[in-house]
Amino acid sequence: MIDAFLQTWELFAHTYLAAWLAALLLGLCGLTLVVRNHIFAGIAVSQSSLFGVAICVWLAERWSWLDHRSFPATVSVLVGTVVMVTLFRYGSRNGTENVTGWVFLLSSSGIFVLLSKSAMGLQEIQGRLTSSLIGADKTDVMILSLALVVLAST
């Protein structure tokens, strides 16, 4: 088993690194959410990250210079991180379920409001929902590393 892994390292190195970083990042997120009793926050953070992708697709349709492969992923990570930090800092004061519900509702409806007239935009969101790490590259590894550092420092 280890031999097969080592033989495929050259071909799938970025995929393996991205998967390990994603596992660390998601594990840390999950542990933090459960310990702080923010069970529903995971789906709200996920949906708000996808809303970040929708914003990028919408902007790229209007300004072509924003149409870069790493732009949606970067904004997605930034939006997700901001929402998670905001939920942790302000959600407990105002009722965690209330704030989390509004974040989820606004993010999920915002995707369709922004991209309702864009077939390619909705296809991009569907692709993100069902994507895998097989095509991960150096940029994905760097984005996941940055997200792990930011989350670990908060």
Side-chain angles (χ1 to χ4, degrees):
M1 179 114 182
I2 297 294
D3 188 42
F5 169 74
L6 292 176
Q7 288 176 356
T8 60
W9 178 261
E10 187 175 328
L11 183 59
F12 293 111
H14 292 119
T15 301
Y16 294 147
L17 291 172
W20 290 336
L21 289 168
L24 287 170
L25 183 64
L26 293 173
L28 185 58
C29 284
L31 178 68
T32 305
L33 291 172
V34 169
V35 166
R36 293 184 181 199
N37 203 21
H38 293 279
I39 306 303
F40 189 60
I43 190 71
V45 170
S46 170
Q47 202 67 25
S48 63
S49 296
L50 206 54
F51 183 57
V53 172
I55 291 170
C56 292
V57 169
W58 184 80
L59 289 173
E61 287 176 351
R62 279 133 187 86
W63 299 291
S64 60
W65 58 273
L66 288 174
D67 192 15
H68 188 271
R69 183 183 183 282
S70 63
F71 184 57
T74 305
V75 172
S76 174
V77 168
L78 290 175
V79 169
T81 304
V82 166
V83 166
M84 191 166 165
V85 169
T86 303
L87 285 175
F88 288 161
R89 291 207 175 142
Y90 304 109
S92 57
R93 283 189 228 157
N94 301 323
T96 305
E97 298 294 324
N98 189 19
V99 174
T100 305
W102 277 106
V103 167
F104 175 77
L105 181 67
L106 292 174
S107 297
S108 57
S109 61
I111 292 169
F112 294 103
V113 167
L114 279 179
L115 301 178
S116 63
K117 302 205 189 262
S118 170
M120 291 303 291
L122 290 175
Q123 183 180 7
E124 174 78 18
I125 296 300
Q126 287 295 332
R128 299 277 176 163
L129 284 171
T130 60
S131 68
S132 69
L133 288 173
I134 294 294
D137 62 4
K138 186 178 181 180
T139 304
D140 297 320
V141 172
M142 291 173 60
I143 290 170
L144 287 167
S145 299
L146 177 66
L148 187 61
V149 168
V150 169
L151 184 63
S153 67
T154 56

